[in-house]
Amino acid sequence: MPLPLSSRTPSGPRRRSLLASAAGAALLVGCSSAAEESEESARRSLSVTERARARAARESGDLVARYDAVLAVHPTLAGLLGPLRAEAVQHVEAFGGTPGTTPSATDSSPSATSSVTDPPTSATSPTSSASTAPAVPSVLPSAVPILDTDAIAGLAAAERALADRRATELLDVPGELARLLASVAAAGAAHAYLLTEGAR
């Protein structure tokens, strides 16, 4: 008696379907993983940019505070320092900060949180009313040199050091912020030059 033929269907097509499905799933997982990595990279880049921008605003705010402290002790320097201070205030705003609210995040000493005892008046600080609020100082008037030439030299050194640091930092941030840092660094270098000439 002959054995009946098996009614089992060939397994080839079903195996190909399964393999294709598995490959498709792997491709989807790969695409999903790549998309997640891309989003994570974008988040990291944004975070780096935000931190760099906040740091730049804080440093410009500290510079405004130095100008305020010097002007509080040497109000006769307003003609030289007033315009430079006004530009430093504009730099704070360009980086998204608010003048007067940018203390150093890592400095909680009294000198970084106290207010200037005798802030410059509108007569000694020729800036608009929107930007005349003194920044939280990192230098108190008591720490300003007695000689105006020494005070100016200290400001020049601070401007130069910040400009040099920004010229280096701009290499690590994306386009728009890098261009802004380059522009502000150039302005800081110009300020340092003017202050050096003014101290002579």
Side-chain angles (χ1 to χ4, degrees), residues 34-118:
E36 289 172 0
E37 288 177 7
S38 177
E39 288 175 6
E40 179 63 25
S41 176
R43 279 195 296 271
R44 280 198 302 268
S45 177
L46 185 60
S47 178
V48 167
T49 300
E50 288 172 344
R51 286 199 303 271
R53 188 179 289 274
R55 181 173 62 250
R58 185 171 61 247
E59 290 171 341
S60 288
D62 288 343
L63 194 56
V64 171
R66 292 181 71 94
Y67 276 102
D68 286 340
V70 172
L71 283 168
V73 176
H74 301 289
T76 56
L77 296 176
L80 171 64
L81 302 186
L84 304 182
R85 178 194 182 277
E87 282 195 25
V89 168
Q90 291 174 354
H91 297 162
V92 175
E93 294 168 343
F95 288 119
T98 302
T101 60
T102 53
S104 175
T106 58
D107 189 353
S108 59
S109 64
S111 65
T113 56
S114 303
S115 60
V116 175
T117 57
D118 185 18

